[in-house]
Amino acid sequence: MNRPAAATAGVASVALAALWLSLPDQTLVFDGVMFAGFVERGVEEWRRELYNTRHLLYAPFFQVLRDGLALIGVKAGAYRLFQVVNALLGVAGLWLFADLLRRLTRDAAVGALGALVLAATWTYGTRATEGQVYMFLSTGCLATLWAAVRNLEAPTRRNAVVLAAVFAVSTLFHAAAFFLLPAVLLALRAGRRGEAATALAVFAALLLVPYLAFFGGEGLKPFLARATDYHGVGQSSFLAGLVARFWNPGGVTPGARLLLCWRESGLAWAPLPDGPAAAVINV
């Protein structure tokens, strides 16, 4: 990236961060309020609930961050801290997405345009201003895909281990990131067998140790119970839910079905209402 382009990208990033930080979501969602209570030690059961099977590191990370800020005199409510970190992660995710597109297309302009389009979407902006865990999931998935493409470009042991580590940390923040396992395995096949084996060992260790530490004899059972939801075929499966949403959306048109699936997958550019309002799209 040349100097003018880098300067423009930097200004745009600062502007987006300022926008998202100045316009926090005013809807206090239940999950965010609940985790804020755990982080602030404001509820009696915070010790028991601090480590969640779906996103193990989320609340402990913010508790350490909030305590660290307090040590240097910065007082912050946990919910507002969630929003600030989400805004910064949102900017980081745009850089990852831009570089990912650049690597795939060999065109920096495509990467920049793609990042701007992503920043303009309703869903991404919501994740960057709310007090929930989903921006960690979004950025973690983007980081995993970026590391996967990097390993495909240069399949070295170092890149394979970086991919495994990024994937493990992303999964520890939200178990839904585990749905990228097939993509990670395909990316690791680009290298030698020994490099892939080392990377998988690193991934297993990073995932296994925290779950054993926090859940003891239960080990990985809580994680597997969550992670398999995203690869299963039952009603709890996200992908299966999209398929069911397409084929049985209450009698709406095929075009409306596609839009409903678009929204349910988290890609929607604008919130779409359920039921009759979607049926007006006659395709």
Side-chain angles (χ1 to χ4, degrees):
M1 183 183 293
N2 56 42
R3 187 170 296 177
T8 301
V11 170
S13 298
V14 172
L16 274 172
L19 176 66
W20 287 334
L21 288 169
S22 63
L23 296 173
D25 192 339
Q26 298 299 310
T27 303
L28 299 179
V29 294
F30 171 77
D31 286 358
V33 173
M34 177 181 68
F35 278 108
F38 303 152
V39 170
E40 296 176 354
R41 304 175 178 86
V43 292
E44 186 176 348
E45 66 272 17
W46 72 266
R47 290 181 180 83
R48 185 179 69 251
E49 301 293 342
L50 187 65
Y51 305 109
N52 184 279
T53 58
R54 190 186 297 268
H55 17 76
L56 180 64
L57 293 186
Y58 182 73
F61 165 79
F62 275 104
Q63 193 172 82
V64 171
L65 177 61
R66 185 169 179 269
D67 290 350
L69 290 173
L71 287 175
I72 60 175
V74 179
K75 304 292 185 181
Y79 198 91
R80 179 55 179 155
L81 192 57
F82 296 164
Q83 294 176 313
V84 170
V85 172
N86 281 343
L88 299 178
L89 281 176
V91 173
L94 294 177
W95 279 88
L96 287 167
F97 188 61
D99 196 55
L100 176 63
L101 290 180
R102 181 191 65 81
R103 289 173 182 272
L104 291 173
T105 64
R106 306 298 178 187
D107 191 332
V110 171
L113 179 61
L116 288 175
V117 170
L118 180 61
T121 61
W122 172 81
T123 300
Y124 199 83
T126 298
R127 299 306 180 218
T129 58
E130 68 184 3
Q132 295 200 78
V133 72
Y134 301 115
M135 186 51 80
F136 274 84
L137 174 61
S138 300
T139 307
C141 288
L142 287 172
T144 299
L145 292 173
W146 177 86
V149 170
R150 189 163 171 259
N151 188 67
L152 287 172
E153 291 178 337
T156 64
R157 187 180 302 275
R158 178 183 177 183
N159 286 345
V161 168
V162 168
L163 169 58
V166 170
F167 182 40
V169 172
S170 300
T171 305
L172 287 170
F173 271 98
H174 202 303
F178 195 70
F179 88 96
L180 287 177
L181 179 62
V184 172
L185 293 177
L186 286 173
L188 290 176
R189 281 179 60 86
R192 292 189 289 269
R193 184 172 299 178
E195 295 170 351
T198 300
L200 289 174
V202 169
F203 172 75
L206 289 175
L207 196 65
L208 180 65
V209 170
Y211 271 91
L212 285 175
F214 297 135
F215 294 104
E218 287 295 309
L220 288 177
K221 288 181 182 179
F223 165 75
L224 292 174
R226 293 295 189 184
T228 52
D229 285 350
Y230 301 98
H231 288 285
V233 294
Q235 286 302 311
S236 61
S237 166
F238 173 72
L239 296 179
L242 284 184
V243 174
R245 189 66 157 162
F246 180 79
W247 290 110
N248 186 28
V252 299
T253 64
R257 294 176 187 178
L258 287 173
L259 287 176
L260 287 170
C261 289
W262 178 256
R263 186 197 63 182
E264 293 296 326
S265 66
L267 299 172
W269 285 35
L272 297 175
D274 283 319
V280 300
I281 305 167
N282 188 11
V283 177

